[in-house]
Amino acid sequence: MTHHPSPAIAGRETDLHSLLQNRKPIWIQHTNLRLEGISSAFACALHMHQPTIPAGKSGELVSHLQYMVENQGEGDNHNAEPFAQCYRRMADLIPQLISEGCNPRIMLDYSGNLLWGVHQMGREDITGSLRYLACDPTMQRHVEWLGTFWSHAVAPSTPIPDLKLQISAWQHQFVDLFGEEALQRVKGFSPPEMHLPNHPDTLHAFIQALNDCGYNWMMVQEHSVENLDGSPLSQSQRYLPNQLVARSSTGEVTRITVLIKTQGSDTKLVGQMQPYYEALTLGQQPLGSRNIPSVVTQIADGENGGVMMNEFPEAFLQAHRKAMHQNSQEDSGQAQTVAINGSEWLELLEQEGVKASDFPAVQAVHQHRLWKQVGSCSNRETVDAAIDDLKASNSGFSMEGASWTNNLSWVEGYDNVLEPMNQFSAAFHQHFDQQTAEDPSFTTSERYQQALLHLLLLETSCFRYWGQGTWTEYARTIHSRGQTLLS
């Protein structure tokens, strides 16, 4: 781990690209599961995030967690330490279950902001626990880390050239903290807010960036995708891997495997381990010429709200204990319901000869209507015209993407954040793209990395999620400092 005042977000692009391409199956080497005899499974993920804000004692960039610690009298800042304990507690819960004879699984999604923030704070109790979960050989069977955007940006309203920068910055941060072997095990991606772009060019660029950065699969919200004929996913389809097809306005096509996050965003689903109890009601189902287990996939914030802070630990322990008890009843004659992680499931399927081409094909929501409107002549102009026509004729049509917070627009009413963000992004690329193309090592320079840091931070979703006021002022401050760096 490198000790420096700035996060490790760039400088190793070539090395990491080589490290993460054409990776061989990894999870199959550690798993103690076999598909035969498994009727269903549950795959749970915890999402953790704290934004970086210009609110230190002298206006410096600090983690919002640090701000909570230093300003206990504001709002719910008294929860700072309970939040901090949420970030490290899986390092206690997983070993406890293993010692009891259980076979636990969990997927972890930590924003780059949070990983840097706890390091900034000197919270080695948290960083050390996360290092144990990422690096300890015993944990490699039970804990899967998921990649994400470094600063918790929402993909549909992030400038297209910055999508790959966000993805790569997180990989830089993770490898700096936990090493190359740990990063090689990160094969799945968790988009912030489960926000999936549905504009053809944004989605295509997003999926292409994930493929370029070595990711094998992504988690998506069920209502953010549709079948190729525009129909919603079937009940059984939600428990299978699907293949997301991303077609650009000019006809280029790329694909990635997706696991479907079912139902809504209520943390009670994971907080009370609903995925386990739902999995108990499911069995194997056909995929191609085989029968495979149905898997309930779910993610929730790992710290927000009383349920996750207080009820989740015991519910997590209880669900795995019940699974162990049920599966140990040899005379029951019942197939097992087990905990599983995403990459583990996909590698087990691959071992049985199931290919990605066997998965049902899906696309982003509303794209069936768009392509029908576009017709046979597809280019940027005809796609833009079709979008305008559909918006004018049907208020339910949108190209803002879909997320687990569909009652909230990440665009409407935020011109005072989005316009500076887009302007700064354009200025950043105008300043640096030619230099980095001519000399890739330029990304190691302090000037580039400081400008990149401010660009990534300006795209943080929190500066829009919490409405106008303090948070949009944070964005204005970051934009002003970024502009100064460029000039």
Side-chain angles (χ1 to χ4, degrees):
M1 182 174 63
T2 305
H3 292 276
H4 39 55
S6 299
I9 53 175
R12 295 190 57 186
E13 290 78 11
T14 302
D15 291 345
L16 295 187
H17 183 268
S18 299
L19 180 72
L20 298 173
Q21 294 302 309
N22 303 315
R23 286 180 287 177
K24 297 179 180 179
I26 295 174
W27 291 87
I28 205 73
Q29 302 171 23
H30 302 285
T31 186
N32 56 3
L33 299 177
R34 296 294 178 266
L35 292 185
E36 183 179 356
I38 297 176
S39 61
S40 61
F42 57 103
C44 292
L46 299 178
H47 163 65
M48 308 284 193
H49 170 60
Q50 286 287 345
T52 301
I53 57 176
K57 292 180 179 178
S58 301
E60 65 269 24
L61 293 170
V62 297
S63 171
H64 184 253
L65 181 65
Q66 180 174 333
Y67 181 85
M68 292 174 70
V69 170
E70 295 173 351
N71 296 272
Q72 293 278 302
E74 294 182 19
D76 64 352
N77 286 1
H78 58 277
N79 284 325
E81 191 54 35
F83 274 29
Q85 292 306 312
C86 289
Y87 300 139
R88 61 158 306 281
R89 67 187 175 193
M90 295 311 298
D92 297 328
L93 297 179
I94 295 293
Q96 179 180 341
L97 286 169
I98 294 172
S99 71
E100 296 175 11
C102 298
N103 197 20
R105 298 290 190 275
I106 195 68
M107 294 181 285
L108 298 176
D109 154 15
Y110 280 60
S111 72
N113 302 71
L114 179 56
L115 293 174
W116 180 41
V118 294
H119 179 42
Q120 276 183 300
M121 295 172 69
R123 290 295 299 258
E124 181 58 29
D125 59 321
I126 300 175
T127 305
S129 294
L130 300 184
R131 190 177 301 112
Y132 168 67
L133 292 170
C135 303
D136 184 86
T138 302
M139 292 299 102
Q140 292 172 22
R141 174 182 291 174
H142 305 279
V143 179
E144 175 169 14
W145 285 82
L146 304 178
T148 189
F149 286 156
W150 187 84
S151 70
H152 204 271
V154 286
S157 53
T158 298
I160 287 177
D162 302 342
L163 295 169
K164 191 170 183 179
L165 294 178
Q166 287 277 358
I167 296 167
S168 177
W170 186 91
Q171 293 178 323
H172 276 79
Q173 181 81 72
F174 192 85
V175 77
D176 183 64
L177 289 172
F178 307 128
E180 292 184 356
E181 290 186 9
L183 181 61
Q184 283 186 302
R185 292 190 290 274
V186 182
K187 293 187 167 189
F189 190 86
S190 175
E193 304 292 345
M194 288 289 105
H195 211 337
L196 185 72
N198 62 346
H199 188 287
D201 295 328
T202 307
L203 179 64
H204 183 271
F206 181 30
I207 304 308
Q208 190 62 55
L210 290 174
N211 290 332
D212 289 347
C213 291
Y215 284 101
N216 290 4
W217 64 273
M218 174 172 60
M219 193 183 302
V220 299
Q221 178 88 2
E222 67 175 279
H223 66 252
S224 69
V225 292
E226 63 185 16
N227 290 309
L228 299 187
D229 63 1
S231 63
L233 273 59
S234 67
Q235 177 75 8
S236 60
Q237 192 177 350
R238 300 184 306 168
Y239 308 113
L240 297 172
N242 288 256
Q243 189 79 178
L244 178 65
V245 180
R247 169 186 162 192
S248 75
S249 61
T250 52
E252 296 93 348
V253 175
T254 189
R255 296 173 174 84
I256 194 169
T257 296
V258 291
L259 304 186
I260 307 299
K261 173 194 176 298
T262 60
Q263 300 191 48
S265 63
D266 190 345
T267 52
K268 290 182 180 179
L269 293 176
V270 174
Q272 298 175 351
M273 289 303 290
Q274 177 271 348
Y276 167 64
Y277 299 100
E278 183 178 356
L280 289 174
T281 69
L282 303 173
Q284 290 196 349
Q285 58 172 305
L287 179 65
S289 60
R290 300 171 176 79
N291 285 333
I292 69 168
S294 298
V295 177
V296 181
T297 305
Q298 188 59 254
I299 184 172
D301 287 347
E303 79 284 61
N304 272 344
V307 173
M308 291 310 298
M309 281 194 290
N310 303 315
E311 297 180 30
F312 168 74
E314 185 55 38
F316 184 77
L317 295 171
Q318 187 179 72
H320 283 88
R321 288 165 179 159
K322 286 183 176 181
M324 177 186 67
H325 178 71
Q326 175 208 10
N327 296 337
S328 66
Q329 295 179 342
E330 297 179 354
D331 298 330
S332 66
Q334 296 180 353
Q336 297 182 349
T337 294
V338 301
I340 201 167
N341 283 330
S343 293
E344 180 179 32
W345 183 29
L346 293 173
E347 289 188 13
L348 284 167
L349 291 175
E350 184 180 7
Q351 186 182 52
E352 294 297 316
V354 179
K355 302 180 179 64
S357 58
D358 297 324
F359 303 152
V362 297
Q363 61 192 0
V365 69
H366 295 327
Q367 287 201 344
H368 176 70
R369 291 161 65 189
L370 175 63
W371 295 126
K372 185 177 179 181
Q373 181 80 10
V374 169
S376 59
C377 183
S378 178
N379 54 52
R380 288 185 175 88
E381 290 74 21
T382 57
V383 167
D384 288 343
I387 291 171
D388 290 341
D389 289 344
L390 286 166
K391 284 181 178 179
S393 62
N394 189 321
S395 60
F397 182 86
S398 170
M399 283 281 110
E400 288 185 21
S403 75
W404 64 11
T405 52
N406 268 8
N407 61 321
L408 174 75
S409 173
W410 299 97
V411 176
E412 293 180 10
Y414 289 104
D415 289 346
N416 61 330
V417 175
L418 289 171
E419 287 183 11
M421 185 179 86
N422 289 321
Q423 291 167 1
F424 185 60
S425 173
F428 175 89
H429 291 284
Q430 185 177 6
H431 272 76
F432 295 124
D433 281 4
Q434 184 174 346
Q435 286 177 280
T436 56
E438 294 173 353
D439 178 12
S441 68
F442 183 72
T443 61
T444 63
S445 70
E446 182 70 10
R447 180 172 179 238
Y448 176 88
Q449 296 206 9
Q450 281 298 312
L452 175 62
L453 174 61
H454 285 75
L455 174 64
L456 300 179
L457 290 177
L458 191 56
E459 295 166 353
T460 303
S461 70
C462 304
F463 300 141
R464 283 171 279 159
Y465 182 89
W466 296 109
Q468 297 290 337
T470 300
W471 289 89
T472 50
E473 284 302 310
Y474 287 153
R476 287 169 59 89
T477 299
I478 291 170
H479 174 256
S480 175
R481 293 180 184 177
Q483 290 286 80
T484 300
L485 287 166
L486 290 184
S487 60

